[in-house]
Amino acid sequence: KQEVTQIPAALSVPEGENLVLNCSFTDSAIYNLQWFRQDPGKGLTSLLLIQSSQREQTSGRLNASLDKSSGRSTLYIAASQPGDSATYLCAVRRETSGSRLTFGEGTQLTVNP
Amino acid sequence: NAGVTQTPKFRILKIGQSMTLQCTQDMNHNYMYWYRQDPGMGLKLIYYSVGAGITDKGEVPNGYNVSRSTTEDFPLRLELAAPSQTSVYFCASSRSLATNEKLFFGSGTQLSVL
């Protein structure tokens, strides 16, 4: 059974700081890994998707990396802004689970002005 | 651009009542999903559908039913509401099973069963 863990559960940083969010998974046989952003009272928005054959993906100030062999992914946020405050979730799609995703519990990020 | 639309946004039910959570998408996606999210937890898959007329159970299907009569709509039915079903429910959709295919979410329905 795939298990996904995110550390830390909560993170508070001053504006402008670079930061890293961590995601680990127990089964390395994955199709892809997605990072989502969730704002209070809102749905999830997909930020980055890394396919199993890829090592990283970048979008603006966000960079996500994937190391399948070690079962780890990181989301790097450069020059953090108060608008980045949200909960960030990672989710993996296993090779044997069809279209289904397994989610981590999320990291609640607060960027202080 | 509507995307995935869920109604209602909030609902309070009494134990034993029934209700249907509505979900519709306008992206012509084949795959649709229902997830629930409990406080401080990740999302758990309730049911999913790979196309009109085809549904299957996810991790936590007990107490729920679904149908998929059209590509656009995927309603979730609670027949006998229980306090354990207090949660935030999210509907999602994707176009295909390609490895680069992203998941699109609705804004959620917050349900309380008292």
Side-chain angles (χ1 to χ4, degrees):
Chain A
K1 178 184 176 184
Q2 177 73 276
E3 293 184 0
V4 180
T5 304
Q6 291 187 245
I7 295 173
L11 182 63
S12 181
V13 301
E15 181 177 4
E17 190 163 299
N18 302 325
L19 58 101
V20 174
L21 307 181
N22 297 292
C23 172
S24 61
F25 47 95
T26 55
D27 185 348
S28 62
I30 64 171
Y31 268 139
N32 61 39
L33 182 146
Q34 289 188 67
W35 282 94
F36 292 88
R37 170 182 172 137
Q38 183 176 25
D39 293 288
K42 301 279 184 69
L44 281 70
T45 300
S46 182
L47 297 173
L48 290 166
L49 182 150
I50 311 176
Q51 299 179 64
S52 61
S53 58
Q54 298 173 325
R55 297 282 293 181
E56 64 177 345
Q57 282 285 334
T58 299
S59 176
R61 293 182 295 107
L62 306 180
N63 176 276
S65 67
L66 174 65
D67 185 343
K68 277 183 57 178
S69 61
S70 66
R72 295 169 68 179
S73 175
T74 61
L75 179 66
Y76 175 82
I77 302 177
S80 59
Q81 303 171 358
D84 294 330
S85 298
T87 297
Y88 292 81
L89 296 99
C90 69
V92 299
R93 183 179 150 201
R94 293 168 61 196
E95 293 179 355
T96 56
S97 66
S99 59
R100 294 177 286 179
L101 300 183
T102 302
F103 283 82
E105 303 91 349
T107 294
Q108 185 174 347
L109 173 65
T110 302
V111 181
N112 301 300
Chain B
N1 298 329
V4 180
T5 303
Q6 291 183 238
T7 57
K9 292 191 181 299
F10 304 95
R11 185 71 184 269
I12 298 175
L13 287 181
K14 294 182 179 179
I15 295 172
Q17 286 185 319
S18 62
M19 77 163 294
T20 299
L21 282 66
Q22 302 291 345
C23 175
T24 187
Q25 51 90 11
D26 62 359
M27 298 173 284
N28 200 33
H29 285 175
N30 288 319
Y31 297 85
M32 296 188 74
Y33 314 83
W34 275 106
Y35 287 90
R36 61 176 286 173
Q37 184 180 35
D38 298 320
M41 306 287 287
L43 281 70
K44 302 288 187 184
L45 182 65
I46 305 171
Y47 270 95
Y48 66 102
S49 169
V50 301
I54 306 171
T55 63
D56 205 350
K57 296 177 181 179
E59 299 174 78
V60 290
N62 292 342
Y64 306 95
N65 279 300
V66 294
S67 60
R68 184 94 182 272
S69 57
T70 66
T71 299
E72 294 79 19
D73 301 308
F74 190 41
L76 178 71
R77 178 84 176 163
L78 283 71
E79 291 293 350
L80 292 171
S84 61
Q85 293 177 306
T86 294
S87 189
V88 181
Y89 292 83
F90 290 101
C91 179
S93 72
S94 64
R95 184 177 55 182
S96 73
L97 288 183
T99 58
N100 62 345
E101 205 65 58
K102 291 184 177 182
L103 206 59
F104 294 84
F105 280 82
S107 57
T109 295
Q110 187 170 329
L111 176 67
S112 295
V113 182
L114 306 174

